[in-house]
Amino acid sequence: NEGNEYFKEKDYGRAVAAYSEGLRRRCGDAELDAVLLANRGAAHFHLGNYRSALNDAIQARKLKPTHLKAIIRGALCHMELRNFLEAIAWCEEGLQIDSNEKKLVEIRAKADKLKVNMKAACLSLWDPWREGAPSRFLCGERNIKLVLEPSDEEEDVSDGLAEISLDGFHSDSATGAKVHLDADGSLNWPVLFLYPEHEQTDFTVAFHENSRFIDHLMVMFAELPPWDLEKKYLPNNLELYFEDEEREEMYEVNPEHTLLQVLQHERYFVKAGTPTVLVFAKRSPFSKKYFSGKKVHRL
């Protein structure tokens, strides 16, 4: 009830805190927990925390698969994250529950249209192996270095992201998204975050080149991820790195820097159209072991 009052007053930050407190009470009522999750997701959505909002929608749907509000919210989150195929899938699932739900019909139609438009835009902008591609000019103008020739392991990758492999940690979850140009002439990149300690990943579909890493971390870790049992992955307790594979060296990334500043580093090479960053908890035993024997360029 407290959360609902804050929500009505458009005090979404306090609404999130109130709904979270309700969930921490662990009442054991799945119906109520689903409502709390859906409501918290709505508050996160209004704050622009689309990843957190989507996570809440997913959890609410697990507790109550017929929860239409959670399904609508999940579809809207996918729209904001430019995951149009996923948005359509959520809409289809919701329409199986209520075929007359106008909001889902509207979202599905919009997602279908944007999916076609985005595909056309991506084809015209990003094909790194095509001679004279506009993206090559835009990146060259920004002094961003692209790895354009696929390696032996990447020959079969035709549309997007090559598999990332780091000490046996593989991720192919970020397929399909491509860099795109917005109306202001800025590039928005798909960025892959790797968490080697937990073999987990995060994927940001549209990371604006002038956005700082810390701003994304504040959103991504507004809620502790379920795999962080030790509660170490807090926005201000994280270290970011990129790897220079040619020299087998690691470079620490300043979280206050923008994506463009990092991409312009003399030893950063964008592989397969997707910038990649490794994330570690500060002073963790795992990171000490991970960096053992490697040359690390610290800030």
Side-chain angles (χ1 to χ4, degrees), residues 188-234:
N188 291 263
W189 293 83
V191 176
L192 185 63
F193 293 84
L194 304 180
Y195 309 98
E197 181 175 3
H198 298 278
E199 298 189 358
Q200 297 287 333
T201 65
D202 266 323
F203 185 56
T204 300
V205 177
F207 194 132
H208 192 284
E209 62 182 351
N210 292 323
S211 292
R212 301 181 306 166
F213 277 89
I214 187 61
D215 296 328
H216 279 266
L217 294 176
M218 293 297 289
V219 173
M220 293 162 62
F221 292 94
E223 296 287 329
L224 287 171
W227 42 263
D228 181 20
L229 300 179
E230 297 179 25
K231 300 181 179 179
K232 298 185 300 185
Y233 283 72
L234 302 170

Side-chain angles (χ1 to χ4, degrees), residues 28-249:
D29 185 336
E31 182 87 16
L32 178 55
D33 281 346
V35 171
L36 287 166
L37 284 162
N39 289 358
R40 187 174 71 177
H44 271 307
F45 186 88
H46 283 286
L47 289 169
N49 300 339
Y50 303 122
R51 176 180 172 274
S52 296
L54 179 59
N55 287 340
D56 281 344
I58 291 170
Q59 294 304 315
R61 194 178 62 169
K62 284 181 180 178
L63 291 173
K64 188 180 179 183
T66 59
H67 199 309
L68 272 179
K69 284 187 177 180
I71 292 173
I72 292 171
R73 185 65 56 195
L76 288 170
C77 289
H78 279 302
M79 290 293 289
E80 293 294 336
L81 294 169
R82 304 176 69 83
N83 300 332
F84 302 127
L85 288 175
E86 289 86 347
I88 292 170
W90 277 62
C91 289
E92 293 290 352
E93 185 171 332
L95 289 169
Q96 289 179 10
I97 300 168
D98 183 355
S99 60
N100 296 317
E101 174 53 60
K102 291 182 179 180
K103 190 67 177 176
L104 289 173
V105 173
E106 291 173 5
I107 296 171
R108 183 180 63 178
K110 186 176 180 181
D112 199 48
K113 182 178 179 180
L114 289 172
K115 177 191 69 174
V116 174
N117 291 343
M118 185 176 182
K119 183 177 180 181
C122 286
L123 285 173
S124 67
L125 175 62
W126 181 260
D127 182 357
W129 289 283
R130 178 166 60 84
E131 185 65 31
S135 58
R136 294 177 64 178
F137 171 76
L138 292 168
C139 291
E141 165 179 88
R142 287 165 166 77
N143 195 29
I144 297 173
K145 294 163 287 297
L146 305 175
V147 178
L148 299 179
E149 295 299 327
S151 63
D152 293 340
E153 293 82 7
E154 295 163 5
E155 287 179 347
D156 295 330
V157 179
S158 61
D159 186 29
L161 181 71
E163 185 178 43
I164 303 297
S165 175
L166 290 167
D167 291 350
F169 171 37
H170 299 274
S171 173
D172 57 1
S173 63
T175 56
K178 293 183 174 71
V179 61
H180 64 275
L181 192 68
D182 64 21
D184 297 325
S186 299
L187 290 177
N188 291 263
W189 293 83
V191 176
L192 185 63
F193 293 84
L194 304 180
Y195 309 98
E197 181 175 3
H198 298 278
E199 298 189 358
Q200 297 287 333
T201 65
D202 266 323
F203 185 56
T204 300
V205 177
F207 194 132
H208 192 284
E209 62 182 351
N210 292 323
S211 292
R212 301 181 306 166
F213 277 89
I214 187 61
D215 296 328
H216 279 266
L217 294 176
M218 293 297 289
V219 173
M220 293 162 62
F221 292 94
E223 296 287 329
L224 287 171
W227 42 263
D228 181 20
L229 300 179
E230 297 179 25
K231 300 181 179 179
K232 298 185 300 185
Y233 283 72
L234 302 170
N236 294 317
N237 191 45
L238 300 176
E239 292 181 345
L240 310 180
Y241 294 85
F242 70 84
E243 184 171 18
D244 181 348
E245 295 182 10
E246 181 183 336
R247 296 182 179 178
E248 297 184 349
E249 297 176 357

